[in-house]
Amino acid sequence: MKLFGKFFSIHIKSQMQYKSSFFLSVIGQFCTAFATLLGVYFMFTRFFSVEGFTFDQALLCFATMMMAFGLAEMIGRGFDLFPQMLGNGEFDRILVRPQGLVYQVVASKMDFTRLGRLSQAILVFAYAIPSSGIAWTLDKIVTLMLMVVCGSLTFFGLFLIYAAFSFFTVEGLEFMNILTNGGLEFGRYPYVVYGKNILRFLTYVVPLALVQYYPLLYLLDRETNALYMLAPLISLVFLIPSYVFFRFGVSRYKSTGS
């Protein structure tokens, strides 16, 4: 962890070398997220509830997914840029170093301009948490924390899969954006609003519903079963096939020779 802290500090200092550019990028990320928030607001000015969920309750979904995705993208940016790492031979250097591959890719690139999205999520939480009508007991506070942390790790698993495809296609596959950025965009509302088939897919294949929809039911007292509270932990199983697929890609990797 001490070494990771060093890398963390290095990336912050390097990105702060051009402060104006950095803060403009943060503001840009904030404004992009704000435009999405406006979309949710205008939807609820026309329809006062969606599948029985109110505006304030939908904001919990919005903030949870925004924060989870922002954390995953900030820390896992190296996997988003992984095709470049393969093309310029940097991955060859990673292979001969003593640290783990995933650790080194994470440490190679962090994007702190994503703080714009995170600040947006924090502001939405500040509004939605007291106005959602939820009685915030200890178990519900833990549930919300699990939604954010496990959601971030689930998105990280998707980034791992995206990087793994690069071993076979040289360039990353854009269809993965349907699951990463698309998962964020769809997550503005409880996933159940998109129909039962989409909900099943986001439960059993890409378990984003386990970190959003099911624990939300527990927060709103629509379900009292503890499994709904612990559903985000079940989503972490997704990291196993994600990592296995990445290691499979590594086993098929051929050096660029550069």
Side-chain angles (χ1 to χ4, degrees), residues 210-227:
L210 294 179
V211 300
Q212 192 242 46
Y213 173 63
Y214 297 106
L216 179 66
L217 295 179
Y218 185 83
L219 292 180
L220 299 175
D221 292 321
R222 298 188 184 184
E223 294 288 349
T224 57
N225 191 322
L227 283 177

Side-chain angles (χ1 to χ4, degrees), residues 172-190:
L173 296 179
E174 290 302 319
F175 85 86
M176 286 297 298
N177 288 331
I178 298 174
L179 302 177
T180 52
N181 292 290
L184 170 63
E185 291 299 315
F186 293 150
R188 293 179 294 177
Y189 309 100

Side-chain angles (χ1 to χ4, degrees), residues 146-192:
L146 288 175
M147 291 168 72
V148 172
V149 174
C150 296
S152 180
L153 291 172
T154 302
F155 277 118
F156 187 83
L158 288 171
F159 291 147
L160 263 180
I161 293 174
Y162 171 82
F165 274 119
S166 302
F167 289 111
F168 308 100
T169 62
V170 181
E171 293 294 333
L173 296 179
E174 290 302 319
F175 85 86
M176 286 297 298
N177 288 331
I178 298 174
L179 302 177
T180 52
N181 292 290
L184 170 63
E185 291 299 315
F186 293 150
R188 293 179 294 177
Y189 309 100
Y191 285 127
V192 70

Side-chain angles (χ1 to χ4, degrees), residues 89-160:
E90 185 179 349
F91 190 68
D92 292 354
R93 294 196 295 271
I94 286 178
L95 287 172
V96 299
R97 292 169 181 163
Q99 291 291 340
L101 299 181
V102 172
Y103 175 87
Q104 290 189 68
V105 175
V106 168
S108 68
K109 180 67 176 178
M110 299 178 194
D111 189 355
F112 293 100
T113 63
R114 268 47 187 179
L115 290 171
R117 285 185 176 181
L118 295 178
S119 60
Q120 176 84 191
I122 292 171
L123 290 176
V124 175
F125 269 134
Y127 171 81
I129 287 176
S131 64
S132 60
I134 297 173
W136 291 100
T137 54
L138 179 60
D139 59 325
K140 292 184 178 180
I141 294 173
V142 171
T143 301
L144 186 61
M145 294 174 63
L146 288 175
M147 291 168 72
V148 172
V149 174
C150 296
S152 180
L153 291 172
T154 302
F155 277 118
F156 187 83
L158 288 171
F159 291 147
L160 263 180

Side-chain angles (χ1 to χ4, degrees), residues 6-253:
K6 276 285 187 181
F7 279 114
F8 196 88
S9 175
I10 288 170
H11 285 299
I12 290 179
K13 290 177 181 178
S14 64
Q15 292 176 38
M16 289 296 290
Q17 288 298 308
Y18 301 95
K19 293 181 176 60
S20 297
S21 176
F22 175 79
F23 286 114
L24 285 174
S25 296
V26 171
I27 292 171
Q29 290 286 333
F30 182 91
C31 291
T32 300
F34 186 71
T36 305
L37 176 61
L38 286 178
V40 177
Y41 172 75
F42 288 129
M43 172 66 77
F44 278 93
T45 58
R46 179 65 179 85
F47 305 99
F48 298 106
S49 68
V50 178
E51 290 288 336
F53 294 93
T54 65
F55 174 63
D56 294 336
Q57 292 166 357
L59 285 184
L60 276 179
C61 294
F62 175 89
T64 298
M65 300 307 288
M66 180 70 69
M67 180 164 285
F69 185 81
L71 287 171
E73 197 175 31
M74 181 173 70
I75 301 300
R77 182 63 171 167
F79 289 101
D80 194 28
L81 301 175
F82 196 73
Q84 299 176 22
M85 190 176 293
L86 293 181
N88 61 22
E90 185 179 349
F91 190 68
D92 292 354
R93 294 196 295 271
I94 286 178
L95 287 172
V96 299
R97 292 169 181 163
Q99 291 291 340
L101 299 181
V102 172
Y103 175 87
Q104 290 189 68
V105 175
V106 168
S108 68
K109 180 67 176 178
M110 299 178 194
D111 189 355
F112 293 100
T113 63
R114 268 47 187 179
L115 290 171
R117 285 185 176 181
L118 295 178
S119 60
Q120 176 84 191
I122 292 171
L123 290 176
V124 175
F125 269 134
Y127 171 81
I129 287 176
S131 64
S132 60
I134 297 173
W136 291 100
T137 54
L138 179 60
D139 59 325
K140 292 184 178 180
I141 294 173
V142 171
T143 301
L144 186 61
M145 294 174 63
L146 288 175
M147 291 168 72
V148 172
V149 174
C150 296
S152 180
L153 291 172
T154 302
F155 277 118
F156 187 83
L158 288 171
F159 291 147
L160 263 180
I161 293 174
Y162 171 82
F165 274 119
S166 302
F167 289 111
F168 308 100
T169 62
V170 181
E171 293 294 333
L173 296 179
E174 290 302 319
F175 85 86
M176 286 297 298
N177 288 331
I178 298 174
L179 302 177
T180 52
N181 292 290
L184 170 63
E185 291 299 315
F186 293 150
R188 293 179 294 177
Y189 309 100
Y191 285 127
V192 70
V193 306
Y194 303 108
K196 291 183 179 179
N197 290 332
I198 296 296
L199 182 61
R200 289 192 190 101
F201 178 81
L202 293 176
T203 300
Y204 300 109
V205 182
V206 180
L208 291 175
L210 294 179
V211 300
Q212 192 242 46
Y213 173 63
Y214 297 106
L216 179 66
L217 295 179
Y218 185 83
L219 292 180
L220 299 175
D221 292 321
R222 298 188 184 184
E223 294 288 349
T224 57
N225 191 322
L227 283 177
Y228 285 80
M229 172 189 175
L230 300 176
L233 293 176
I234 300 174
S235 72
L236 298 182
V237 175
F238 181 67
L239 291 174
I240 298 174
S242 300
Y243 180 72
V244 169
F245 185 46
F246 180 77
R247 292 299 307 184
F248 177 73
V250 172
S251 70
R252 296 295 185 272
Y253 174 66

